Amino acid sequence: MFYTSTRKQLEEITATKAILQGISEDGGLFVPKTLPTMDFKLKEMLDWNYQEIAYRIIRLFFEDMKEEDLRYCTTHAYDVKFDSDEIVPLASIKHANFLELFHGPTIAFKDMALSILPYFMLVSKKYNNEKDDIVILTATSGDTGKAALEGFSGVEGTKIIVFFPEDGVSDIQKQQMVTTVGDNTFVVGVKGNFDDCQTGVKEIFGDVDFKKELADKNYKFSSANSINIGRLVPQVAYYFAAYAKMVKAGKLELGKEMNVVVPTGNFGNILAAYYAKNMGLPIKKLVCASNTNKVLFDFLETGTYDRNREFHLTSSPSMDILISSNLERLLYHVSGENTEKVCELMKELKEKGVYSVTDEMRKNMADFYGGYADDAMTKEVIKKVYDEEGYLMDTHTAVAYSVYEKYVADTKDETPTVIVSTASPYKFTSSVMTAVSDKYEGIDDFTLLEEMKKLENGYMPKAMDGIANREIKHKNVCEVSEMPQMVRNFLV
Ligand SMILES: *Cc1c(COP(=O)(O)O)cnc(C)c1O
């Protein structure tokens, strides 16, 4: 199995090469030349644990990885750093089933990919005879940075540097990052906003002299952002796990179809569901849930993608996105692998901020259903589900739940459904607690953690337990202009 770019047909790019490279030189994203089909029976899956399912799915995409190497990746990624043996447990309430993707070290779903990506990189280095240490350089608005830090912490042959806006992340997010352990981790607060951090990182990536300086010291930059195929593929696995769990829980008859509802930002998570469906997993509808930044909802309704609109800061910040980069991969598939068409659309997006797909392409997207929920609707369902069922949803999951209710009301579709839960309520404590009751208004995040613990019958995820008292390991703060020097300080 080889990979190609969404913008130009390439020859003979292996999976491990695509992982090391991250993005294609023509600006396109790496996609498998043809999507694999599942080579096992649904019934067999019922006996597999998560590590086995992950192995069985990923091997179909990353064919150049040997069995022992891939098994090394799956067993090291999905281990005791998850606080559930099941890795992705299914939680059911009266009217809904949630696939909880938040039991990893940073209690959000990015852990599913970022805990395995470092191991993919090690294997990829070995196969491609890359001797240099890989230096992951990331700017973060909060969540991705910590997930990447946890993933790469202690992984030999890699180093990770994270820049975050000193005054632009929540107190809990900051505490999570600056208490990260591991000699190969480096965290720096920047006196500027997220865009400043992002621009600073891009400049470092683009600085040819700097690159050479580092190459002389046997370092090579790479990035862990969500367009790397090594982040997308492991996400396909949990849809198979969800299916098996639904059957085992008696919610779904083996062989019948299920629907999935996915809270969407960069379109990675829901694209993984689309891949699972195309591999043969019986999925009927892919329900794409957006918040007030409903560019994807409008796209699915009209066939026109238009980013020229006001940007809203919402209570589900990880979905506050106007350019969903992984959508480019869907365009490639639904256009019949037409790289010229993808180039044309991406050019229009870049130059005008808007493009429209053909009727044929729209027809090929008929399995997607779009919906959205604003902050008021999100708040309302958090309270309702908690009051009626005692189940606490985070804001992103609540967006999905709200859209699920609307989908059922609209279509009367009674297909068993899995709602993908992308974050623990502990990650968005303030929004969740004030949705439950006004009495939590104006209380700081660290106190609210303790209050939430009472609502959760004494349960608190390991990631949050005692976080206020952890030792601060990273005290670096710098000006935007000093970012390259900080990188030198760490690496030399
Ligand atoms: C990143 C993120 C999302 C969006 O996922 P995409 O793959 O970018 O669509 C949703 N919820 C949470 C909590 C996230 O961190």
Side-chain angles (χ1 to χ4, degrees):
M1 139 110 52
F2 288 109
Y3 284 75
T4 184
S5 162
T6 49
R7 299 193 191 178
K8 187 176 161 197
Q9 287 299 340
L10 305 173
E11 303 296 325
E12 313 267 306
I13 305 268
T14 59
T16 56
K17 183 140 193 266
I19 290 167
L20 274 188
Q21 206 175 314
I23 186 163
S24 176
E25 275 161 13
D26 50 54
L29 310 190
F30 288 119
V31 277
K33 284 212 160 175
T34 41
L35 287 175
T37 43
M38 51 190 277
D39 63 349
F40 50 83
K41 299 232 164 19
L42 288 173
K43 190 161 177 289
E44 291 176 69
M45 224 169 46
L46 303 183
D47 300 324
W48 295 344
N49 63 15
Y50 191 75
Q51 292 77 1
E52 182 69 20
I53 291 181
Y55 167 72
R56 291 298 199 117
I57 300 302
I58 298 169
R59 66 187 276 275
L60 300 174
F61 284 91
F62 297 167
E63 266 184 349
D64 57 325
M65 284 194 196
K66 293 195 201 88
E67 167 159 4
E68 55 174 17
D69 288 325
L70 183 52
R71 286 208 186 267
Y72 173 85
C73 295
T74 52
T75 53
H76 281 76
Y78 305 123
D79 65 2
V80 291
K81 55 183 170 295
F82 283 75
D83 74 355
S84 162
D85 291 343
E86 291 186 62
I87 308 296
V88 292
L90 185 76
S92 294
I93 60 174
K94 218 180 284 162
H95 302 293
N97 308 289
F98 298 94
L99 184 70
E100 296 187 344
L101 301 182
F102 57 73
H103 289 272
T106 76
I107 60 175
F109 100 101
K110 299 213 169 46
D111 289 330
M112 296 307 300
L114 281 165
S115 52
I116 199 162
L117 181 68
Y119 296 102
F120 289 159
M121 287 208 169
L122 287 188
V123 173
S124 301
K125 266 178 72 172
K126 189 169 82 179
Y127 286 20
N128 293 279
N129 215 0
E130 174 63 69
K131 297 277 193 304
D132 290 355
D133 272 11
I134 301 282
V135 180
I136 301 292
L137 197 58
T138 304
T140 185
S141 54
D143 284 345
T144 304
K146 178 61 182 177
L149 281 165
E150 280 299 321
F152 283 91
S153 170
V155 176
E156 214 180 299
T158 72
K159 293 194 189 302
I160 174 160
I161 303 176
V162 170
F163 290 102
F164 72 92
E166 170 74 2
D167 298 313
V169 300
S170 78
D171 290 344
I172 291 186
Q173 284 175 322
K174 183 170 173 181
Q175 183 75 0
Q176 277 189 305
M177 284 190 277
V178 299
T179 56
T180 304
V181 298
D183 289 342
N184 65 334
T185 66
F186 191 57
V187 181
V188 184
V190 175
K191 291 183 203 157
N193 59 26
F194 171 62
D195 281 334
D196 296 327
C197 297
Q198 179 102 318
T199 310
V201 164
K202 277 194 189 144
E203 274 170 20
I204 297 174
F205 272 123
D207 185 334
V208 182
D209 294 336
F210 200 7
K211 223 181 250 173
K212 171 137 196 336
E213 186 186 330
L214 284 179
D216 292 343
K217 302 202 170 80
N218 302 321
Y219 288 120
K220 188 172 210 155
F221 282 132
S222 186
S223 132
N225 66 18
S226 80
I227 54 181
N228 194 314
I229 191 74
R231 277 189 62 179
L232 184 63
V233 165
Q235 295 179 206
V236 178
Y238 51 71
Y239 289 98
F240 284 84
Y243 190 94
K245 282 174 193 295
M246 286 285 281
V247 171
K248 284 201 274 191
K251 308 278 177 189
L252 176 68
E253 206 181 307
L254 190 69
K256 292 275 163 60
E257 287 180 320
M258 69 174 188
N259 290 339
V260 295
V261 188
V262 186
T264 302
N266 235 338
F267 211 77
N269 203 349
I270 196 163
L271 186 70
Y274 172 83
Y275 278 12
K277 179 180 164 77
N278 280 278
M279 292 170 72
L281 187 68
I283 294 179
K284 187 170 148 199
K285 284 286 175 186
L286 304 147
V287 180
C288 173
S290 301
N291 64 24
T292 309
N293 297 298
K294 59 184 181 58
V295 59
L296 287 167
F297 167 78
D298 293 338
F299 173 61
L300 292 170
E301 287 283 290
T302 64
T304 296
Y305 192 94
D306 187 359
R307 61 143 306 173
N308 301 311
R309 60 180 71 208
E310 195 184 334
F311 175 77
H312 298 274
L313 286 173
T314 72
S315 64
S316 43
S318 303
M319 296 156 69
D320 290 343
I321 285 176
L322 291 182
I323 297 190
S324 297
S325 37
N326 271 297
L327 191 60
E328 182 170 339
R329 287 190 165 110
L330 181 69
L331 298 176
Y332 172 83
H333 296 297
V334 298
S335 66
E337 288 131 37
N338 185 339
T339 52
E340 276 164 35
K341 188 72 199 169
V342 175
C343 281
E344 175 195 319
L345 299 179
M346 290 301 106
K347 189 158 174 264
E348 285 173 25
L349 180 65
K350 193 167 173 206
E351 287 169 4
K352 301 185 217 126
V354 52
Y355 64 79
S356 298
V357 297
T358 63
D359 289 346
E360 183 68 21
M361 289 170 78
R362 281 191 78 185
K363 238 187 359 226
N364 292 337
M365 299 191 303
D367 297 326
F368 287 90
Y369 169 97
Y372 72 97
D374 63 20
D375 276 2
M377 296 160 163
T378 306
K379 197 168 172 179
E380 186 188 310
V381 294
I382 290 175
K383 178 165 177 59
K384 186 177 87 175
V385 170
Y386 180 71
D387 287 350
E388 290 175 6
E389 306 265 0
Y391 187 73
L392 270 187
M393 298 182 289
D394 100 285
T395 45
H396 304 74
T397 309
V399 166
Y401 184 86
S402 179
V403 169
Y404 166 62
E405 282 193 334
K406 180 166 170 298
Y407 171 78
V408 173
D410 265 11
T411 61
K412 308 285 181 286
D413 183 0
E414 288 176 355
T415 307
T417 299
V418 169
I419 297 171
V420 175
S421 178
T422 50
S424 159
Y426 278 94
K427 191 128 206 182
F428 299 94
T429 327
S430 173
S431 299
V432 173
M433 292 302 275
T434 53
V436 169
S437 165
D438 293 344
K439 73 178 184 197
Y440 299 113
E441 220 72 68
I443 302 178
D444 74 272
D445 275 1
F446 291 106
T447 311
L448 284 179
L449 287 178
E450 296 303 320
E451 291 299 318
M452 185 173 274
K453 188 174 176 181
K454 292 178 196 159
L455 301 191
E456 294 274 54
N457 303 316
Y459 166 78
M460 165 130 39
K462 249 188 335 199
M464 287 295 151
D465 213 358
I467 184 160
N469 307 319
R470 269 178 221 161
E471 188 191 345
I472 305 220
K473 301 268 186 193
H474 304 271
K475 293 181 184 152
N476 299 292
V477 179
C478 77
E479 301 287 345
V480 181
S481 60
E482 294 167 331
M483 288 169 65
Q485 192 51 46
M486 294 308 277
V487 174
R488 281 192 187 94
N489 291 353
F490 178 52
L491 292 179
V492 184

